[in-house]
Amino acid sequence: MLRALGLWLVCFGLWLLLSGYFDVPLLLTFGVLSCTLVVFIAWRVEKLDPEEQRLRPKIGPQIILYWPWLLWQIVLANLDVAKRILNPQLPISPTMITLKPTQHSEMGRVIYANSITLTPGTVTTFLSEGVLEVHALTREAAESLLEGDMDRRVAALERRKT
Amino acid sequence: MNGLIDGLSGLALLAGVFFMLVGSAGLLRMPDFYTRMHAAGITDTLGAGLVLLGLMLQGGWTLVTVKLLLILAFLWLTSPTASHALVRAALSDPGNPRPLLHPHLPSSSTEITAR
Amino acid sequence: MFAAAALGILICMVLAMARALLGPTVYDRIMAVNAFGTKTVLIIAVLGFMSGRPDFMDIALVYALINFIGTIAVLKFIRYGDMGWPRNAPDEPDDL
């Protein structure tokens, strides 16, 4: 019930932001009705495919500090890949590597894999319990992943096992 | 003050378009599918980010900026997912060519991992 | 300034379209169309500012979502030949 209320509040907040109508009662009523319909449909879908287990937050508030770091890494990787594309010799050395992620929750592993893919020059090609395969554009990018700096930072985001 | 913001936003727009051009050039220059993927990543991350940042500076503190932020959030959430799905589909298709790998490296990386 | 940005994005779209037409494998084409879609989102936003119509942002937002869903749907279709029900289940889930 609490989850449904939370979902409704998020939906209505998004509706208000996107529509920009704050003082037209008729339109606000329509907004309330459509949010209620969405929550009802979500509730019906969840009976078929319960996801409550997975949606419980397993990530601490430290993620606020992780985002700027990730952004900086993305900028650095972008500059590196852009330089390589503009170089007439195209100095690339594609590499496939296998990593062993140390995160214990599924959420942590997904954040790690998504961070790798979001950084240009490395794309996650396979992800399962203890294996993560990465295709890297250059050998240097692969080696910097093997050092495991990002892996440690994502693992530090997770809440301890309960 | 207004001139400063205008200049900054113009700079961000130009830098964003530059990165998008580089990414698109990479899309044409790279030798195989898996390396083209990385070039497309430039357009999706820094190119889109800088262009939207330039527009946000123009928009000021309005609902338009909020919408641009939402667009940026959706792009940055969905682009890695789409890339991952594409690579997974390409690798799991037996008819698709395998990735070209650097000749001086072992084709499978177990050796690198063992280090 | 907006006109210059729009022109640059248009050139990018031409390059992406060239890859979509050249691309030797079907995945190259899907990737190029996905990149084309991202650039479409950006050009819609820039055009919205250029012509002073902030409503264009909503269109760009919806286009960003549809682009992603379309990419995934086309991939599934290429992979399975349909929209990909679970492989070991009957063709239609009948317990709905």
Side-chain angles (χ1 to χ4, degrees), chain C residues 11-65:
Chain C
I11 296 172
C12 293
M13 290 170 88
V14 171
L15 294 177
M17 189 49 88
R19 177 44 76 197
L21 293 174
L22 286 174
T25 68
V26 68
Y27 301 103
D28 282 296
R29 293 173 208 271
I30 299 175
M31 178 184 65
V33 170
N34 186 25
F36 193 81
T38 310
K39 287 157 195 160
T40 312
V41 172
L42 294 178
I43 206 171
I44 292 175
V46 172
L47 284 181
F49 269 85
M50 209 163 104
S51 54
R53 293 162 74 179
D55 319 347
F56 274 34
M57 298 313 134
D58 299 301
I59 304 176
L61 190 53
V62 170
Y63 203 99
L65 292 174

Side-chain angles (χ1 to χ4, degrees), chain A residues 66 69-70 72-73 76 99 102-103 112 115-116 141-157:
Chain A
Y66 175 70
W69 181 81
L70 180 64
W72 180 238
Q73 294 303 113
L76 287 183
L99 298 171
T102 53
Q103 295 82 20
Y112 184 37
S115 306
I116 289 176
E143 275 167 358
S144 76
L145 268 185
L146 284 173
E147 277 166 23
D149 190 21
M150 187 184 268
D151 182 51
R152 274 192 300 278
R153 280 171 193 267
V154 178
L157 294 178

Side-chain angles (χ1 to χ4, degrees), chain A residues 34-51:
Chain A
S34 52
C35 288
T36 312
L37 183 67
V38 166
V39 170
F40 173 69
I41 292 174
W43 171 74
R44 264 182 63 102
V45 168
E46 217 156 70
K47 273 203 302 191
L48 287 177
D49 180 20
E51 264 191 70

Side-chain angles (χ1 to χ4, degrees), chain A residues 124, chain B residues 79-91, chain C residues 27 68 71-72 75:
Chain A
T124 313
Chain B
S79 98
T81 317
S83 303
H84 180 66
L86 261 166
V87 168
R88 272 299 287 279
L91 276 178
Chain C
Y27 301 103
F68 170 66
T71 305
I72 299 295
L75 273 177

